[in-house]
Amino acid sequence: MFEYPLTIAAEADPFVLANGLQLAEDLCPSAYDPGVRVASLRGVDAAHLVLADLDLWECLFAGTVHLDPLRLEGACTFNTAPPAVHWRRWPPVRFTARRVLAEEHHWRASQPGAVQGWVLGAGRAGPLQLAPVYRALRKAFPSSPSATASNADSPTPAKHGPVNASG
């Protein structure tokens, strides 16, 4: 647990060394994006944590302690639901355009008959474990429902499309 508030933020400007030269940030040439990514918050006590301008595309949140007080500021990016309508059976499957957690991607991709676009991964949390995570993260956004009313930009479970194992 962090005793005092801690902010983890991406820095848009390059780092400059004492001699005035820019620090080379190409140490990982295979990396697709130089942005700052968070891989997991599992086991972290987030009571005093602020995340700002970070890539949370593949971040695992299930298992984070005190997720309610976490604050997300700036342009934190999340994964998205697969676009379009999927016509493999009747009725067609359509997912609401929304930000989703990496764990939901992993769970949906692992289900029999999963539609294309969901990505397998290390997260093994299912709907029962993810529902409280989504509720807590809604509060983390500056314009969250807990601070105001309804926030379409926060990661939320699907309101359209199936919630069953095939969706």
Side-chain angles (χ1 to χ4, degrees):
M1 177 170 141
F2 303 112
E3 186 174 342
Y4 297 101
L6 171 70
T7 299
I8 300 174
E11 177 61 48
D13 297 327
F15 291 102
V16 179
L17 299 172
N19 62 5
L21 297 174
Q22 287 186 4
L23 178 66
E25 296 186 37
D26 57 352
L27 299 176
C28 300
S30 63
Y32 67 90
D33 182 9
V36 179
R37 291 183 290 276
V38 177
S40 178
L41 290 177
R42 285 183 174 176
V44 171
D45 188 334
H48 299 288
L49 185 60
V50 178
L51 302 177
D53 301 321
L54 299 174
D55 179 353
L56 302 173
W57 193 269
E58 297 177 4
C59 185
L60 303 176
F61 285 93
T64 304
V65 181
H66 297 124
L67 199 51
D68 284 358
L70 172 74
R71 289 194 353 236
L72 300 174
E73 297 181 352
C76 289
T77 58
F78 286 86
N79 211 328
T80 56
V85 176
H86 304 275
W87 290 93
R88 293 184 331 153
R89 62 189 184 282
W90 188 261
V93 178
R94 177 181 169 265
F95 295 98
T96 304
R98 63 191 175 89
R99 294 191 275 182
V100 297
L101 298 178
E103 285 106 334
E104 182 178 353
H105 259 274
H106 304 164
W107 174 76
R108 287 188 182 269
S110 69
Q111 301 304 301
V115 299
Q116 287 185 339
W118 295 110
V119 180
L120 280 172
R124 295 290 175 244
L128 294 177
Q129 295 82 21
L130 291 178
V133 174
Y134 275 114
R135 277 193 298 275
L137 284 177
R138 265 190 230 110
K139 299 174 186 177
F141 284 87
S143 60
S144 72
S146 299
T148 58
S150 172
N151 185 2
D153 287 339
S154 67
T156 55
K159 293 187 175 142
H160 303 290
V163 182
N164 62 25
S166 64

